[in-house]
Amino acid sequence: MLDLDTREWLLTNGLGSFASGTVSDVRTRTYHGWLFAATNPPSGRTLLFSHLEASLEVLGSVVALGTNFWGNGQMEPTGCELLRGFDINPVPKWIWGQDNWQLTRQLVMPYGWEGSSEWGVGSGEENHTYHSQFCHRTLIQYRYDGSDTAILRLRLLIAERDFHHQQAVSPNLHFSQVLGQQQVCLQAINSGHFGIPWHLRWTQGNYQPDAVWYWNYGLPEETKRGLGDKEDLYSPGYLIVTLQPGDTVTLEARVGFPDPMPSVLTPDTFAEAVEAEQERLSQIFGWREGGRGAEEQEKDNYQSPISNTQYLPNTSVREAALLYETLRERQSSVTMPTATLSTSVQSSIWQQLLRASDQFIVYRASIAGPTVIAGYHWFNDWGRDTLIALPGLTLVTQRFDLAKGVLRTFGHYCRYGLIPNAFPDVDGEPFYNSVDAALWWIETLGLYLEATQDWQFLAEQFPVVQQIYKAFVSGTHFNIQVDAIDGLVSWDARGVALTWMDVVIGVHPVTPRHGKPVEINALWYSALCWLSQWAERLSQLEFGEPVRLTKQAQRYAQQAQRVKTSLQKFWNPQLGYLYDTIDLDDRRNFQIRPNAVLALSLYHCGFSEQQGCQILDLATASLLTPYGLRTLDPGDPEYKGKYEGNPEQRDRAYHQGTVWAWLIGPYIRAWQRFYPQQSLPFDWQPLLNHFLFDACLGSISEIFDGDSPHTPRGAIAQAWSVAEVIRHIK
């Protein structure tokens, strides 16, 4: 079998829709296709348009350009053998060719909220009309170069299925198509129910209806994951385009029935869409503020490592890493972080990180406001993930209105002193199955206020802060309550997992952490410090009753001091580390996990310098890898070094040794606090190599194997992984 390059690419549209595939242009996942439309943003993601199967005829010779796996293990055709190059920046581009011709294909997914370049504050009260605001579409452009006339045949492969599942031939599933002038409107009909209408239009060519099913596509990545791995796709017909040298054909797949007065699709439409996206990002991140300075001119003389690289189909990750090393050597730089890359390279990587961060910012229709997709391909938005990622995604990038909108929305939905961990896709109450989301909300609110000094917003949200405080003190769902004896937060609910280590198999949590988890109580201590500081601030600014607020500030400070004293219960002097949990019967869990590092990384820390240094020394020796922190010491009998196998096997490894990239952020913050004069014992190069050249090009994976070589696993693009790198790389 060919040595295929199965690294992946990802396009998103700010509404939850996405397109994704591989460098070799072979589909390996259920989540690969050119238009997954989020019909109820950011949810209801439905595969409508899988891909175009292309062939090219030149001088009577026909070559198939596609590459497909089939359920019987065969691969046919093998168009990847004709691939001459791949580029990811600014949009995915493939180049096929032989001696006398070359065919280039590019894809772009335009931003989906038409008429807006940035999210508003988002009070949760806005009303938006789907048809006037949302647009889910993908543009494709082919360009032919050669010495002779060519005929390009493009066969449509389509579907109508949830993005988690595969489509299968069924006597109840049919597709209607209505031909128009250089367009075709398509809609599934399943057991008499009409599906999502969408249409495909093109700038030139003749469309031939030719309905046929293609059975038994194979999806090898799903085979590895122990999930459904076979797919049937429907083809309603194909497009024939005669191309002269230098000709292009542009196609647009768009959700909805054709507009009676559509915009004109021209050969320039594709370039205009790419330029519009570049302009949108420039406006958000201020890349063009103040005109073209010296740094901007320097970038003209050096393309980014991504745009300067042709990803050949057989280029290995190791070769890509060597290529990056060559680029670094050309810039006369030395190993990071003791020295930085040259200004132009650093700026280019920074822009790539900002572009990656924007892919996770989406609009949620059910709350009429902004939220954060936890990861692609398969995650929705999660409260805890959003709040942890928010400083990197919005505060470092100075998207303060976006941060404010997300914080306001989550505060608006505070119930029983708890912040939602997930929102429903339709009408209904959010899910409040988290002990820490409320505490992360307070911590992130504190970071927002430190960055903006927005005390009016504090006054607005302070009742929510007090609601959380009162609920934790008096008790709320899941028996979450402050212990009256030591002031620490505990919880007790069997069959659920309320911390970030949240895997449950059946009714059994894999990492049961009921009782008093260490990072929860570190968050509680930091929250009390924030409350004291804020009550004092509000009393001085006359946002309330000064005398009452001053007394509250004193009470919060006293309680914080009490909790700080009680945090010493977590100290294990024999190990020089923190117990992970204290059970309800006062038993201690002495496993070495990264939650101790989390406890050191918060804005307010309740542990001494000596303790912090000892904790970091042990975490460095047992948990630190080039891609983040392991979730369990390799010497622990419960350690699992590889995240692989069927769903249950993977779940059992998820927090039992698997490396999480986002944990590098807390580690760095803790190190800078307790070892401010010492160099960070972490080299950014492997993680940057991963970002630029591995897994999902231009993003960072969710997790990695605990064992070397730390293979990337899980979601190919994870919000808090990218956010924590942004928070510390510059």
Side-chain angles (χ1 to χ4, degrees), residues 232-260:
D232 300 331
L233 295 174
Y234 180 77
S235 176
Y238 57 90
L239 184 69
I240 300 176
V241 189
T242 300
L243 296 171
Q244 301 299 327
D247 277 359
T248 63
V249 56
T250 303
L251 304 97
E252 180 192 58
R254 187 177 186 128
V255 172
F257 292 109
D259 192 324

Side-chain angles (χ1 to χ4, degrees), residues 382-504:
W382 296 94
R384 177 191 298 114
D385 299 53
T386 295
L387 294 164
I388 291 173
L390 212 59
L393 297 183
T394 64
L395 301 185
V396 175
T397 61
Q398 299 185 41
R399 300 178 74 171
F400 298 125
D401 281 350
L402 174 58
K404 188 174 183 176
V406 172
L407 287 166
R408 175 178 282 145
T409 296
F410 277 86
H412 175 77
Y413 282 94
C414 182
R415 303 285 187 274
Y416 336 107
L418 301 178
I419 292 293
N421 201 36
F423 289 101
D425 295 335
V426 293
D427 293 339
E429 276 291 286
F431 304 103
Y432 293 89
N433 55 336
S434 165
V435 65
D436 56 342
L439 300 176
W440 280 115
W441 183 83
I442 291 176
E443 182 76 4
T444 305
L445 174 63
L447 298 177
Y448 167 80
L449 294 170
E450 289 297 305
T452 64
Q453 305 292 295
D454 186 356
W455 307 120
Q456 183 65 49
F457 186 62
L458 171 61
E460 173 191 312
Q461 296 299 313
F462 198 62
V464 180
V465 175
Q466 292 177 307
Q467 180 188 346
I468 294 170
Y469 168 80
K470 291 175 182 177
F472 272 65
V473 170
S474 61
T476 184
H477 292 341
F478 304 106
N479 291 313
I480 299 170
Q481 188 168 12
V482 169
D483 189 321
I485 297 175
D486 59 17
L488 298 176
V489 172
S490 68
W491 69 277
D492 183 24
R494 304 296 163 164
V496 297
L498 302 185
T499 72
W500 80 275
M501 294 183 166
D502 57 359
V503 172
V504 177

Side-chain angles (χ1 to χ4, degrees), residues 56-101:
L56 190 72
E57 179 180 347
V58 181
L59 296 177
S61 177
V62 179
V63 292
L65 303 180
T67 303
N68 296 307
F69 285 115
W70 300 99
N72 61 5
Q74 299 298 310
M75 184 170 62
E76 185 184 7
T78 56
C80 57
E81 294 179 304
L82 298 175
L83 265 175
R84 296 294 176 260
F86 175 82
D87 198 351
I88 194 66
N89 192 37
V91 294
K93 179 173 72 174
W94 295 258
I95 302 173
W96 292 268
Q98 289 183 319
D99 292 340
N100 60 335
W101 63 266

